[in-house]
Amino acid sequence: MQIRPRHGAPRLRAAAAALTATLALTALGAVPAAAAGTSTAKPVTCTAATTKVTVQKVQRPLNHLLLTATNTGSKPCYAYNAPYLRFDDAQAATAVLRDSVPQAVVTLEPGESAYAAIGTESPEGTHGYRAHRLGVLFSNRAMDGSVGGWARPKLPTGGVYVDSSAFVTYWQPNPADALMW
């Protein structure tokens, strides 16, 4: 009686060999640990204390800014929901675009970034003004409050015109997903 290997056996052996090689190279220092797999540290909620937040004007779409939060901490962090924004001394936070909910919570390993688009104005907007300051708070998991203190990224020189139609998207894993709104 001849025993034949199962159909998936060669793939299983190849995967095991690749894993063994990666682990061996990691142990020798040839491959950074982050490349071998994800961090083993328990993730925390992203806050202004553990991220660097920047904002930049983009060419397309018109009247948009790109908000970037980069994890500067030593542990992975969750960028829950959407950031809470406040231009100058606005009475209310900028509206969150609910249609922009991503497939999953964005998890940032140290050095990685999350992105949110800010729509600043539209023809339907009213009560416009030129804003010179921006405050950013990170959302808690339940999206019923914030965590940590304010991040205060610099707006483009000369400020930004915002009106009642302004919105912010949920955090996204890449700039293209954020700016599609």
Side-chain angles (χ1 to χ4, degrees), residues 117-137:
I118 304 169
T120 57
E121 63 176 301
S122 74
E124 295 82 26
T126 60
H127 307 295
Y129 64 98
R130 185 153 300 275
H132 297 279
R133 294 182 322 276
L134 177 63
V136 178
L137 288 171

Side-chain angles (χ1 to χ4, degrees), residues 27-113:
L28 295 173
V31 177
T38 59
S39 173
T40 58
K42 183 178 178 187
V44 297
T45 301
C46 296
T47 67
T50 60
T51 61
K52 178 180 181 183
V53 180
T54 60
V55 65
Q56 68 183 40
K57 189 172 184 166
V58 294
Q59 295 296 318
R60 295 269 186 244
L62 295 175
N63 306 321
H64 276 66
L65 301 171
L66 181 65
L67 190 67
T68 304
T70 304
N71 182 353
T72 58
S74 59
K75 298 178 181 179
C77 70
Y78 293 128
Y80 288 116
N81 307 303
Y84 295 115
L85 305 182
R86 180 176 172 180
F87 285 98
D88 287 345
D89 295 322
Q91 298 262 335
T94 302
V96 174
L97 186 63
R98 302 285 179 206
D99 289 344
S100 66
V101 175
Q103 293 284 325
V105 172
V106 179
T107 304
L108 303 179
E109 293 292 330
E112 291 183 340
S113 299

